[in-house]
Each structure stands twice: as structure tokens, then as C-alpha cells.
Amino acid sequence: QVQLVESGGGLVQAGGSLRLSCAASGSFFSIDAMGWYRQAPGKQRDLVARITTGGSTSYADSVKGRFTISRDNAKNTAYLDMNSLKPEDTAVYYCNAAALNLLFRRSDYWGQGTQVTVSS
């Protein structure tokens, strides 16, 4: 089983910055791609950014140039640096990880979510 623990959310003014962290722990052979999703009230959960084990990244158009995803494979931790935040970035941010568990099955895991609120 894999546990994902997020941290770093909070309240920030428009134009400010935040850094989210997601640490994976538990019993698994490997953590593969990791990503950040967000869900605003009344809306679906959407992909924000994704990073592979090799460091290849992809971003939603709405965050390109403002957000940066990175990871530390040795720590099984992913980060999301968010700059030039806008009120429309307000949402619960969820960490997602694809992991190969001890039964050699690849599954998706989710964190509990962390609230990011951007005031105007």
C-alpha cells in the first residue's frame, strides 16, 4: 500500500507563491509518474502537472509558465512550485502517483488533498 501525504497549501494573495510537497511512503517496488490535480467547488478534478521518473513534465495550459513540477526520486517526493498565483487557481490540490506494489500490480494512489486559496 502507498500513502501520499501533501503539504504546503494555504492562503496567499494574488501574485504570490506557494510550494506544495507530496511524499510517498509505504510498501512498494517503485513510484512511477507523479502528478498534481486540482478540484474547485462544483468542478471536476483536472490535471495540473505531471512528471515521469525520468523527469519529463507536462502542464495544463492554464499554468504553463507559472507552475513547475519537480521530484526527488530518492525521497519519493514530488513538488509543485506555484508562482504568479491567480484567484482562479483556488482549489483543493491532490497528489497522484502511479506505483508498482509488492504484488507487481501498478495502481494509482491519491493524497488527501491540500487547500490552496488565492485572494484577489
Side-chain angles (χ1 to χ4, degrees):
Q1 191 70 356
V2 177
Q3 293 81 43
L4 300 177
V5 178
E6 300 129 332
S7 60
L11 173 65
V12 64
Q13 288 188 333
S17 301
L18 282 175
R19 186 182 221 207
L20 304 183
S21 298
C22 172
S25 63
S27 301
F28 50 85
F29 280 112
S30 63
I31 299 291
D32 300 328
M34 299 184 77
W36 290 95
Y37 289 70
R38 67 186 180 187
Q39 186 169 20
K43 296 188 176 181
Q44 66 181 19
R45 188 176 298 186
D46 292 325
L47 176 67
V48 175
R50 183 178 180 272
I51 185 167
T52 67
T53 304
S56 296
T57 59
S58 57
Y59 297 91
D61 287 342
S62 60
V63 306
K64 283 181 181 177
R66 300 187 298 122
F67 290 11
T68 302
I69 189 170
S70 60
R71 66 188 289 170
D72 183 334
N73 290 331
K75 295 181 179 179
N76 291 314
T77 299
Y79 306 94
L80 185 68
D81 288 297
M82 305 184 292
N83 299 308
S84 302
L85 282 161
K86 304 175 181 180
E88 50 264 43
D89 294 318
T90 296
V92 178
Y93 283 70
Y94 295 91
C95 178
N96 171 269
L100 189 64
N101 64 24
L102 298 184
L103 298 177
F104 292 98
R105 292 176 182 170
R106 183 165 281 104
S107 299
D108 267 359
Y109 298 88
W110 292 91
Q112 78 285 358
T114 185
Q115 177 70 46
V116 171
T117 303
V118 184
S119 62
S120 57

